[in-house]
Amino acid sequence: MIKIDLSGKIALVTGASGELGRVIATVLAQGGADVAIHYFRNRERADRLALEIKKLDRRACVVSADLGEAASVRSMQKEVEKELGAPDIIVNNAVSQYVWKPVLEQAIEDYESQFQTCVLQNVLMTQTFVPAMIRKKWGRVIAINTECAMQNFPTQSAYVAGKRGMDGILRVLAREIGPHGITVNQVAPGWTISERDRLNGTEQQPDYDKNVPLRRRGEDIEIAHAVAFLASDLASFITGTYLPVCGGNIMPTI
Ligand SMILES: NC(=O)c1ccc[n+]([C@@H]2O[C@H](COP(=O)([O-])OP(=O)(O)OC[C@H]3O[C@@H](n4cnc5c(N)ncnc54)[C@H](OP(=O)(O)O)[C@@H]3O)[C@@H](O)[C@H]2O)c1
């Protein structure tokens, strides 16, 4: 039987206090990885997740950082290495909150914060954590993008700018660090059902669902499964990809 086996691996998931990050961290732990749980302001959710992961008999630690600040990311690295060791897998998932506005009205601060959490996060996480992967000759850089990066719909400009910016960095990075046995991939969710929707009963969005070839929104666990696959040896020859997990709502051309 083929199975995803991440035992012996250490994963760091940024934004693991958030909706998708929490499920990604849990699924990586279910696959056998020890997990560092990054949060920004919501320590309580991170602590709760750490308890759940420890119940799976995996090691877990909780760390905080502003991912747009080099010093903050470096101090997170020290904590993770002290608690668990150097990560083999990083999942760059965090994103700052976004206000949907037309370009004519979008605040400059929104462009800056998307640049920080999309572009700079990926640069700083790479510069901080990839050197140890190079030493181990094995590593996984997985970043969470979005279907919006291909849709370019009104009010998405700052978000799309950040996500397209990180896409450029990650494609270059895949070429640069591939020779060291490290893969670099992006997972691009559609508008995804998470715990918040389940609590609010907002899973179905008919105006959105009707245009999706699979006629529904994806579930958080379906995003997490794609991440776990890319983290595993089953995806050993996949790098530089942008993998939509959106029921076919976008289809990158070849
Ligand atoms: N949800 C969707 O439908 C969807 C669709 C497409 C793509 N995505 C992508 O999936 C990823 C996760 O989305 P989500 O919906 O799960 O987001 P979310 O629930 O809003 O969580 C965002 C996470 O990022 C952290 N964060 C915010 N600002 C930060 C900063 N300046 N520095 C460091 N961390 C920061 C938050 O930490 P605290 O809460 O601890 O402050 C939180 O853990 C994002 O990259 C998003 O673009 C999501």
Side-chain angles (χ1 to χ4, degrees):
M1 201 198 331
I2 291 177
K3 98 181 213 233
I4 291 201
D5 182 7
L6 302 175
S7 47
K9 303 291 187 210
I10 298 164
L12 164 60
V13 180
T14 70
S17 50
E19 294 295 300
L20 301 190
R22 176 160 34 106
V23 182
I24 291 169
T26 305
V27 166
L28 293 179
Q30 287 167 343
D34 295 325
V35 184
I37 296 161
H38 161 269
Y39 72 99
F40 185 47
R41 300 208 192 283
N42 204 328
R43 166 118 210 184
E44 197 197 322
R45 281 182 83 167
D47 282 339
R48 224 180 308 139
L49 178 62
L51 280 178
E52 284 166 23
I53 286 179
K54 284 176 184 167
K55 280 191 204 146
L56 297 169
D57 261 346
R58 303 265 54 92
R59 293 186 303 151
C61 73
V62 166
V63 288
S64 183
D66 181 338
L67 299 170
E69 292 288 331
S72 186
V73 178
R74 267 199 305 275
S75 97
M76 173 171 75
Q77 176 197 26
K78 283 196 188 121
E79 271 185 79
V80 175
E81 290 193 353
K82 191 172 115 216
E83 296 285 333
L84 301 180
D88 309 282
I89 301 160
I90 54 173
V91 183
N92 302 335
N93 162 76
V95 73
S96 52
Q97 283 197 335
Y98 187 64
V99 186
W100 305 95
K101 292 259 174 81
V103 178
L104 287 173
E105 294 166 26
Q106 193 92 53
I108 295 305
E109 292 75 26
D110 294 332
Y111 292 96
E112 287 168 347
S113 76
Q114 290 302 308
F115 181 80
Q116 297 245 326
T117 52
C118 296
V119 176
L120 287 188
Q121 170 183 190
N122 279 283
V123 172
L124 293 173
M125 289 290 291
T126 295
Q127 291 181 347
T128 307
F129 292 102
V130 165
M133 296 181 192
I134 291 175
R135 286 194 290 277
K136 292 189 206 178
K137 300 190 175 61
W138 194 97
R140 296 284 187 264
V141 176
I142 301 168
I144 309 303
N145 206 301
T146 168
E147 65 178 7
C148 299
M150 287 200 67
Q151 292 169 322
N152 305 301
F153 286 153
T155 76
Q156 295 179 343
S157 69
Y159 185 50
V160 165
K163 293 295 191 181
R164 285 192 157 236
M166 70 184 243
D167 175 81
I169 288 157
L170 292 159
R171 286 173 197 252
V172 171
L173 183 67
R175 291 188 192 278
E176 289 177 350
I177 64 178
H180 299 284
I182 304 167
T183 65
V184 181
N185 290 296
Q186 300 177 74
V187 171
W191 187 20
T192 303
I193 296 170
S194 67
E195 206 50 39
R196 190 185 298 144
D197 292 297
R198 293 184 198 100
L199 289 171
N200 297 335
T202 51
E203 294 97 322
Q204 286 178 13
Q205 299 288 341
D207 285 346
Y208 176 88
D209 298 351
K210 70 181 182 206
N211 293 318
V212 178
L214 293 181
R215 294 291 186 273
R216 64 174 177 87
R217 295 170 67 198
E219 304 268 349
D220 42 14
I221 193 131
E222 295 177 301
I223 308 303
H225 285 162
V227 172
F229 167 68
L230 290 170
S232 76
D233 281 329
L234 295 181
S236 50
F237 205 53
I238 300 175
T239 196
T241 198
Y242 164 96
L243 174 65
V245 185
C246 59
N249 202 29
I250 53 158
M251 298 185 190
T253 50
I254 56 168

